[in-house]
Amino acid sequence: MTAPATQAVRRRVTVRGTVQGVGFRPFVHRLATGLSLAGFVSNTANGVLIEVEGPPDRVADFCDRLATEPPPLAAVTGVGCEDLSVTGVDDGFTIRATDDSPGRTHLPPDTATCADCLRDLADPADRRHRHPFVTCTHCGPRFTIATGMPYDRAVTTMTGFPMCSDCAREYGDPLDRRFHAQPVACPGCGPRLRLVPAAGSDLRPARDADALVTARALLAAGRIVAVKGLGGYHLACDATDARAVETLRSRKARGGKPFAVMCADPDTVRRIAVLSARELAALTSPRRPIVLLRRRAGRAGLAPGVCPGSPHLGVMLPYTPLHTLLFGLPGDPPGPRVLVMTSGNRSGEPIVTDDDEALVRLAGLADAWLAHDRPIASPCDDSLLRVRPDGTEQVLRRSRGYVPRPLRLPVPVRPALAVGGDLKNALCLGEGDHAWFGPHIGDMGDLSSLEAARRAEAHMRCLTGVAPGVVAADRHPGYHSARWAARLAGTAPVLVQHHHAHIASAMAGHGLDGTAPVIGVAFDGTGYGDDGTVWGGEILLADYRGFRRYAHLAPAPLPGGDAGVANPCRLALARLWAAGLPWDAGLSCVEACTPDELTLLHRQLERGLACVATSSMGRLFDAVSSLVGVCHRAGYEAQAALELEAAAASAWDADASAYAFADDLDPAPVLSALVTDLRRGTPAPVLAARFHRGVARAVAEVCRRARRDTGLATVALSGGVFANALLEEECTRLLTGDGFAVLRHGEVPPNDGGLALGQLVVAAHLRQEE
């Protein structure tokens, strides 16, 4: 009971942060009831509003515990308190209906099935036994089902599934784990599964449990099944079945690009990959990302076509009840324990989310569709990361499990939108001291990708309440994203140089306010330079206001532009030509080209036809990969560099020497030394390791020179080349050993997936100075 009014206090409490869709109101209700306090709690567009009344010591205890004991998925960023007049009314503590006033709160990301729900799923006595959509306030879909804010069932894609009486009772019971869990469902009220066979198949359609049984049997038989997940469709097959894997690779036109796999459990992961404690923690976290792991020798039963030529294997664990059921519960017939689980699309297209569209766009790829009738409000691909030896994480694709969790900005910004680049696209909205990345879109090469970006922008604006007055984009005049930004802005957007944005992204990710410049090492494949050439091997002196190009990799011709990128052997010959080195017949990059190709290429280089100068470090990695005989033709982005890294890793501990660049970052001495060692018969892995170490030592030397010239002692490593674990680790080791503070990417990707954050903070500073 509440104390008499003369001995009581009443307080209004506002809680900000990720406090909706995480069981915060039930938590508040239990906390207040346990302390015998009166009042109410309600969702508002600004967060959670609480009024609480009772003895002063209990009210103080209540307010303290709001921030120190929140539910697992909550992230409290602020608690505000205001004293009110005591009412003396004791109606207990209640949960009120959501207030739909304008404002903003934070929606949590989708979260993997919790341990309690997994127990319900496997318990024959539980009414949700084998229900593919079991969820509670601590797990399940949030972002991908939300259609508006504040977060309530009416503004999710669950609105079409009225709760049965049992679910409604749980939903309304403050002591139940599903109290106000918006996606709550059961076999009685849906959603429901269905299996749709491909046209002309002798399979019959199936529903619910039969659909799962059939899908599992198809996977065991080597067939390909399109599986509808949280943020879109996957294409799945048995990862140990070589014929199934090659069929999927051929149908999807994926070239040699590695597939990600989903393992039934951690023990299965350990059979195919080396797994550290930190990597296990990342795999089993509520985010459930794909984690890059070192493969075990011989691939441990995996089909050779799963990850040919890659030094790593992308692995994830089941993160929905449907995934768990695909692998089977105890007593089910045995089936595959490792599944290829790749995004449901044709290469280069966005992931498919709509059921009718899936039947059309995935026709010819899948033998059957395992679908369900809960709509997906926003596509959301799987996130991807690697765990460094020091236990820190480097996110390479930030999407499911992260979006729409905001990032805290080190400097306030006016409402703004940054659209990123044309590769690995992800947009970013910002206002005040928060920035919100949208989900991974991918490459902006066709109309479907642009439409996916448009929908993502509208959805993120709806969920965040940001109405951008500034739009930022890349300076590249040919980028689809920049043209889209111009249409959104209605005028010229703020254009940010590509590598400046990379460095600004690393700075913002580390909370730097930008008042002091850093030495920025921006290495990637392609970025439009201020001189009209292709940059990508840049050492910049940069802050948020601007940059100076301090040093760069010596340029070489890029014959054929984008067409040349797919042919590392041509890049190798162009680099040899720029270094004044002959095309000896014994070199593998020469032998990889046809006589006509050599003649045409020589003519191009002599006359400068269809050649643009590039200082790209990514292209140098491609060239060296071909020169040492690792990869001559690339079937996917960065294939040559990835395979070069794999070769280097195999000889890393066997050879500690390094090739030396010229002082002006000219690789000619490196190329000459490589040719000499090739003639001596030095193995390709040793050459690759020496090259990696040579690049790292060149970085350290240029940074030392910059420190002598400027006094700067902070180095930011950014750009897609720093997804290379060997290079990033060696650069960091040398720089920290020399007394530099090194900024490496963490939650914000180093590649173009993190570009929009840099655009956002640079554009904000440029507009503030106007």
Side-chain angles (χ1 to χ4, degrees):
M1 296 293 290
T2 303
T6 56
Q7 301 174 21
V9 296
R10 188 175 183 88
R11 188 167 294 173
R12 176 179 292 145
V13 184
T14 55
V15 187
R16 297 178 300 280
T18 305
V19 290
Q20 294 187 18
V22 296
F24 203 86
R25 287 180 297 170
F27 156 70
V28 171
H29 183 277
R30 288 191 293 271
L31 181 59
T33 302
L35 293 170
S36 299
L37 299 174
F40 67 86
V41 59
S42 174
N43 274 348
T44 75
N46 287 306
V48 168
L49 173 67
I50 305 164
E51 288 193 14
V52 61
E53 184 171 324
D57 57 339
R58 294 185 197 170
V59 170
D61 185 27
F62 172 86
C63 293
D64 289 342
R65 292 167 67 182
L66 286 175
T68 60
E69 301 176 8
L73 302 185
V76 176
T77 60
V79 177
C81 296
E82 175 188 357
D83 289 332
L84 301 174
S85 299
V86 174
T87 67
V89 177
D90 183 5
D91 290 333
F93 195 91
T94 61
I95 294 180
R96 289 188 177 179
T98 295
D99 177 5
D100 60 1
S101 60
R104 176 184 297 130
T105 191
H106 300 161
L107 180 73
D110 297 331
T111 306
T113 317
C114 69
D116 288 333
C117 284
L118 287 175
R119 279 191 290 271
D120 294 345
L121 185 72
D123 183 1
D126 194 280
R127 71 187 191 89
R128 289 187 175 86
H129 181 226
R130 295 187 178 273
H131 180 53
F133 307 96
V134 58
T135 184
C136 71
T137 55
H138 300 153
C139 68
R142 299 295 190 272
F143 171 69
T144 54
I145 63 170
T147 58
M149 291 294 286
Y151 179 73
D152 262 319
R153 193 177 180 96
V155 285
T156 72
T157 59
M158 289 298 296
T159 189
F161 300 93
M163 284 183 278
C164 67
S165 58
D166 288 332
C167 284
R169 175 181 49 76
E170 294 169 338
Y171 183 87
D173 182 357
L175 300 179
D176 196 280
R177 196 174 85 248
R178 295 183 172 90
F179 183 43
H180 281 249
Q182 307 308 335
V184 67
C186 75
C189 49
R192 300 190 184 283
L193 284 180
R194 68 182 184 278
L195 185 120
V196 181
S201 171
D202 56 359
L203 291 171
R204 294 191 176 189
R207 294 247 174 211
D208 299 325
D210 290 339
L212 263 168
V213 169
T214 304
R216 197 182 313 118
L218 287 170
L219 292 169
R223 310 291 283 276
I224 297 164
V225 179
V227 181
K228 187 177 181 181
L230 284 180
Y233 275 84
H234 285 104
L235 292 169
C237 73
D238 183 352
T240 67
D241 187 324
R243 180 177 296 179
V245 172
E246 288 307 317
T247 298
L248 176 55
R249 187 172 291 284
S250 173
R251 290 181 184 180
K252 197 173 176 181
R254 193 175 172 87
K257 189 174 183 179
F259 283 127
V261 299
M262 179 179 283
C263 293
D265 50 48
D267 286 342
T268 304
V269 176
R270 291 186 181 94
R271 287 196 285 272
I272 62 173
V274 178
L275 184 62
S276 70
R278 292 292 182 90
E279 288 165 337
L280 176 61
L283 273 175
T284 56
S285 73
R287 297 165 299 168
R288 287 294 200 282
I290 300 171
V291 179
L292 291 178
L293 303 175
R294 186 158 50 92
R295 297 182 310 187
R296 288 203 179 276
R299 297 188 181 88
L302 285 183
V306 170
C307 52
S310 172
H312 301 106
L313 177 63
V315 180
M316 59 181 155
L317 292 173
Y319 55 85
T320 71
L322 178 57
H323 294 143
T324 299
L325 292 170
L326 265 183
F327 287 107
L329 297 179
D332 286 340
R337 303 299 287 171
V338 186
L339 295 173
V340 166
M341 197 68 79
T342 187
S343 56
N345 54 13
R346 296 182 187 274
S347 292
E349 295 181 353
I351 191 170
V352 180
T353 58
D354 179 76
D355 298 336
D356 292 336
E357 186 181 2
L359 293 174
V360 174
R361 284 179 54 192
L362 303 183
L365 277 70
D367 297 310
W369 286 254
L370 183 60
H372 58 76
D373 54 359
R374 184 180 68 203
I376 296 172
S378 176
C380 203
D381 250 315
D382 297 312
S383 293
L384 172 68
L385 62 82
R386 72 177 179 91
V387 180
R388 299 184 178 102
D390 66 0
T392 60
E393 295 178 359
Q394 182 192 56
V395 175
L396 299 171
R397 185 168 67 214
R398 187 182 189 276
S399 203
R400 179 188 52 75
Y402 291 91
V403 176
R405 188 176 76 192
L407 298 167
R408 183 63 65 89
L409 291 173
V411 289
V413 301
R414 288 182 288 176
L417 165 69
V419 300
D422 269 19
L423 298 178
K424 296 180 174 62
N425 181 268
L427 59 86
C428 189
L429 284 163
E431 183 174 2
D433 61 354
H434 283 96
W436 292 265
F437 268 105
H440 169 80
I441 300 297
D443 298 349
M444 304 277 276
D446 56 33
L447 288 175
S448 61
S449 298
L450 286 169
E451 176 59 21
R454 186 198 65 77
R455 290 196 303 266
E457 186 264 345
H459 192 232
M460 290 300 296
R461 285 181 61 173
C462 173
L463 297 185
T464 64
V466 175
V470 176
V471 179
D474 194 276
R475 282 186 188 170
H476 196 302
Y479 268 9
H480 299 289
S481 55
R483 291 196 289 268
W484 176 53
R487 292 194 296 271
L488 284 171
T491 182
V494 178
L495 299 180
V496 181
Q497 199 281 327
H498 190 90
H499 302 96
H500 185 201
H502 271 309
I503 301 306
S505 172
M507 293 171 67
H510 280 269
L512 273 64
D513 63 9
T515 56
V518 302
I519 303 168
V521 183
F523 287 174
D524 62 5
T526 299
Y528 187 75
D530 284 352
D531 58 1
T533 66
V534 178
W535 290 6
E538 313 307 309
I539 313 293
L540 308 179
L541 306 179
D543 55 22
Y544 295 146
R545 294 180 297 275
F547 71 95
R548 175 164 72 89
R549 196 184 190 198
Y550 178 80
H552 59 84
L553 185 70
L558 178 60
D562 289 342
V565 174
N567 295 279
C569 53
R570 298 181 192 174
L571 301 179
L573 295 174
R575 268 293 170 187
L576 291 174
W577 184 86
L581 297 171
W583 293 358
D584 293 339
L587 295 175
S588 61
C589 56
V590 175
E591 295 175 347
C593 296
T594 65
D596 288 345
E597 196 174 7
L598 290 171
T599 301
L600 176 61
L601 184 60
H602 194 272
R603 186 179 300 126
Q604 275 186 280
L605 294 170
E606 278 192 327
R607 301 179 183 179
L609 298 174
C611 289
V612 61
T614 179
S615 61
S616 165
M617 184 61 75
R619 298 290 79 86
L620 179 62
F621 269 77
D622 292 344
V624 171
S625 184
S626 176
L627 180 60
V628 303
V630 171
C631 178
H632 302 300
R633 311 286 183 181
Y636 61 90
E637 183 195 3
Q639 177 180 352
L642 280 170
E643 294 183 2
L644 186 70
E645 180 188 358
S650 68
W652 194 253
D653 296 328
D655 187 283
S657 55
Y659 296 124
F661 283 71
D663 288 343
D664 56 354
L665 272 183
D666 186 347
V670 174
L671 298 169
S672 178
L674 279 166
V675 171
T676 298
D677 282 349
L678 279 166
R679 289 173 178 152
R680 292 172 177 162
T682 307
V686 173
L687 302 178
R690 291 174 180 174
F691 172 70
H692 276 72
R693 283 195 167 94
V695 173
R697 293 186 187 183
V699 167
E701 178 53 40
V702 174
C703 290
R704 283 192 291 269
R705 192 163 71 239
R707 180 171 57 186
R708 289 194 297 269
D709 292 345
T710 66
L712 300 177
T714 298
V715 178
L717 305 179
S718 191
V721 170
F722 285 109
N724 182 315
L726 286 180
L727 181 66
E728 194 208 43
E729 290 298 326
E730 185 67 2
C731 285
T732 301
R733 186 184 70 82
L734 294 174
L735 289 166
T736 54
D738 264 345
F740 287 96
V742 180
L743 309 181
R744 301 193 290 178
H745 281 263
E747 186 173 329
V748 179
N751 53 42
D752 285 7
L755 203 64
L757 179 63
Q759 293 173 349
L760 188 79
V761 293
V762 169
H765 276 70
L766 293 177
R767 281 298 168 94
Q768 286 173 2
E769 295 175 355
E770 290 179 358

